[in-house]
Amino acid sequence: MSALLESNLEGFPKRSGKVRDVYDLGDRLLVVATDRISAYDWVLPNGIPDKGRILTALSAFWFDRLDTQNHFISTDLDAAGLDLSDEDRSQLEGRVMLVRKAEVIPFECVVRGYLFGSAWREYRTRGTVCGERLPTSLVEAVKLDPPLFTPATKADEGHDENVSFEELSADLGPELADALRDRSIRIYRRAAEHASSVNLILADTKFEFGRAATSGEIILIDEVLTPDSSRYWPLDAYKPGVVPPSFDKQFVRDWLDSTDWDKQSEPPPLPDAIVEQTRAKYIQAFELLTGQSFPDA
């Protein structure tokens, strides 16, 4: 089983991120989710087979389920109206989203329902999360009620940097900042409720928004609520103070941490066993959240 590391659709301008190749079709965009996987701000030499198909199908599931304006049009390759070769069609099938164009708002809208990751590291040293002071004596992975909205700068390369809500408001204006916060928390709560119904915890997630090119309305863009952008935990394994297993690329991070890689040079290729375990976790997340079997799993 091979991984698709790069798509090649000739005749259209393309820009590439860590995972996605985005083609400009004029009035719309074609977003292709490859099987690339990144860790510690590096794209790894080998990918995770079917990862792009899983991310696409899961994003489509959430876009259809969420009651919020978004950029999603279709995952039907024929909807793009392209004259594709059999090779192109085989490469792209199941991993494309046709979307509306939008002017990206350059901030990640992060919602944290649990004290974990960079939020835990800041809290442990300063007692705050993105500058907001929290009660003392909290433990790692404790539930945060209400959830915290912790925006971050959107970096094309390197780390996103957490910013305070006041900084977000100063940059975007208080009206837009309030709208992004309220919508992000509303979407998170709805998604967390669904996750709980299938025995998962949505610990945290990040959203991206933009202004629709045709109307100027604020719409949800990019991927949404996938294991690449969200942290899911099994509900039956959760206990405050204990780091639970997660449905994402934790196998990859753990293996990299076990090597002598310095995180400053080109990363090593992933062993087959790590690739297989990571793929299985992504598929499991998809099947639990959607109630569907992943094709060819």
Side-chain angles (χ1 to χ4, degrees), residues 159-178:
H159 285 294
D160 297 334
E161 296 292 337
N162 293 339
V163 298
S164 68
F165 184 74
E166 288 70 26
E167 290 174 285
L168 181 75
S169 297
D171 194 286
L172 299 180
E175 184 176 350
L176 179 53
D178 286 350

Side-chain angles (χ1 to χ4, degrees), residues 54-295:
I54 296 165
L55 298 183
T56 298
L58 196 49
S59 285
F61 167 81
W62 283 115
F63 279 126
D64 285 339
R65 187 178 187 88
L66 297 171
D67 183 22
T68 191
Q69 292 297 312
N70 60 69
H71 71 161
F72 178 68
I73 298 173
S74 178
T75 57
D76 182 359
L77 193 51
D78 291 330
L82 304 177
D83 184 15
L84 298 173
S85 67
D86 290 343
E87 182 180 357
D88 285 338
R89 184 171 292 277
S90 175
Q91 183 187 79
L92 299 176
E93 198 70 55
R95 58 176 72 246
V96 303
M97 288 196 306
L98 186 66
V99 303
R100 293 192 282 165
K101 281 187 169 181
E103 179 186 354
V104 177
I105 296 171
F107 288 90
E108 303 276 7
C109 292
V110 181
V111 183
R112 303 179 187 275
Y114 293 76
L115 186 59
F116 199 76
S118 63
W120 167 248
R121 290 190 293 273
E122 180 186 334
Y123 172 79
R124 190 172 53 182
T125 57
R126 304 177 190 171
T128 61
V129 174
C130 288
E132 181 176 340
R133 185 154 296 281
L134 297 184
T136 59
S137 303
L138 296 180
V139 297
E140 186 174 17
V142 70
K143 185 175 182 178
L144 299 170
D145 192 15
L148 292 181
F149 176 70
T150 60
T153 57
K154 181 174 168 53
D156 292 329
E157 296 182 2
H159 285 294
D160 297 334
E161 296 292 337
N162 293 339
V163 298
S164 68
F165 184 74
E166 288 70 26
E167 290 174 285
L168 181 75
S169 297
D171 194 286
L172 299 180
E175 184 176 350
L176 179 53
D178 286 350
L180 293 176
R181 177 196 59 203
D182 295 348
R183 189 180 301 188
S184 296
I185 292 175
R186 184 169 65 248
I187 297 170
Y188 169 82
R189 288 186 183 279
R190 180 163 184 174
E193 182 178 354
H194 172 73
S196 179
S197 74
V198 296
N199 295 314
L200 290 177
I201 289 173
L202 176 58
D204 53 52
T205 191
K206 63 180 180 180
F207 303 115
E208 291 189 41
F209 294 91
R211 294 185 183 275
T214 53
S215 65
E217 67 178 327
I218 303 302
I219 58 175
L220 183 64
I221 63 170
D222 197 56
E223 65 176 332
V224 61
L225 294 161
T226 73
D228 265 17
S229 64
S230 312
R231 200 186 316 262
Y232 290 100
W233 294 332
L235 186 59
D236 58 6
Y238 172 70
K239 182 180 179 181
V242 177
V243 177
S246 57
F247 291 86
D248 56 14
K249 50 191 173 186
Q250 195 60 47
F251 284 115
V252 171
R253 296 190 193 96
D254 290 345
W255 180 79
L256 289 169
D257 288 343
S258 74
T259 71
D260 59 1
W261 179 47
D262 62 5
K263 299 181 179 61
Q264 305 299 318
S265 56
E266 290 291 332
L270 299 172
D272 290 346
I274 300 301
V275 169
E276 291 166 5
Q277 290 174 56
T278 303
R279 178 178 182 270
K281 274 296 180 185
Y282 274 74
I283 290 174
Q284 189 180 8
F286 170 83
E287 293 186 337
L288 286 170
L289 287 166
T290 67
Q292 306 166 16
S293 295
F294 183 71

